[in-house]
Amino acid sequence: MSALTPQLRELLTALATSMIPGGLGMPSARDADVGGRLLDAVLVARPDLEAPLIALLEPLAALGDPAEAERRLRADRPAVELFALVAIGGYMMHPAVGGALSYPGQQPKPVNPFDINDVVDDGLLDPVIERGPIYREVPA
């Protein structure tokens, strides 16, 4: 279970809905439940984002003014990038969004071990080969 409080989830939803208002057959972030089950799905996939997200949202929630929170969020590029990763990542998981964009989600892609021959023949590895071996010593 996520440590995000209902207040932080509501703020995330409000900010995400400002960025993703919906229309033309697409749901808004609120309609897609970006601050609910989709947020939970994002945090299952990327649990490392929960603490930074909480650290981002708590000071914004303390402002008590959603418009000011949005202004401050938009003024902080790293914060916007983290927020967008979570909000848009969750939004893209919604079936209606994926369907409208013809995006089926992540799909398995079988690897053909002989594809490396094409890469070598095309010369894509030439700069790596010319550079020579580069490695770091592993600490004991």
Side-chain angles (χ1 to χ4, degrees):
M1 184 65 183
S2 170
L4 278 127
T5 65
Q7 179 190 19
L8 295 181
R9 286 174 178 270
E10 178 52 36
L11 177 60
L12 183 141
T13 299
L15 293 170
T17 302
S18 176
M19 291 181 174
I20 310 168
L24 299 174
M26 301 290 284
S28 69
R30 182 173 302 282
D31 293 338
D33 197 21
V34 166
R37 66 179 182 80
L38 294 177
L39 174 59
D40 293 336
V42 168
L43 295 177
V44 165
R46 291 289 309 271
D48 59 305
L49 297 178
E50 184 170 17
L53 183 63
I54 291 171
L56 165 72
L57 292 173
E58 282 180 339
L60 297 177
L63 295 172
D65 178 3
E68 178 62 14
E70 181 177 351
R71 189 192 68 69
R72 289 196 188 181
L73 173 63
R74 289 179 184 271
D76 183 349
R77 184 173 179 132
V80 168
E81 289 176 0
L82 169 62
F83 186 84
L85 177 65
V86 172
I88 296 170
Y91 185 75
M92 292 299 295
M93 291 178 170
H94 192 279
V97 173
L101 297 175
S102 299
Y103 173 66
Q106 293 183 348
Q107 302 291 310
K109 181 180 177 188
V111 175
N112 181 347
F114 298 106
D115 285 347
I116 190 65
N117 296 334
D118 296 333
V119 171
V120 172
D121 291 344
D122 291 344
L124 295 174
L125 292 177
D126 290 350
V128 176
I129 294 167
E130 290 170 9
R131 173 189 77 204
I134 296 175
Y135 59 93
R136 295 182 184 170
E137 292 292 331
V138 177

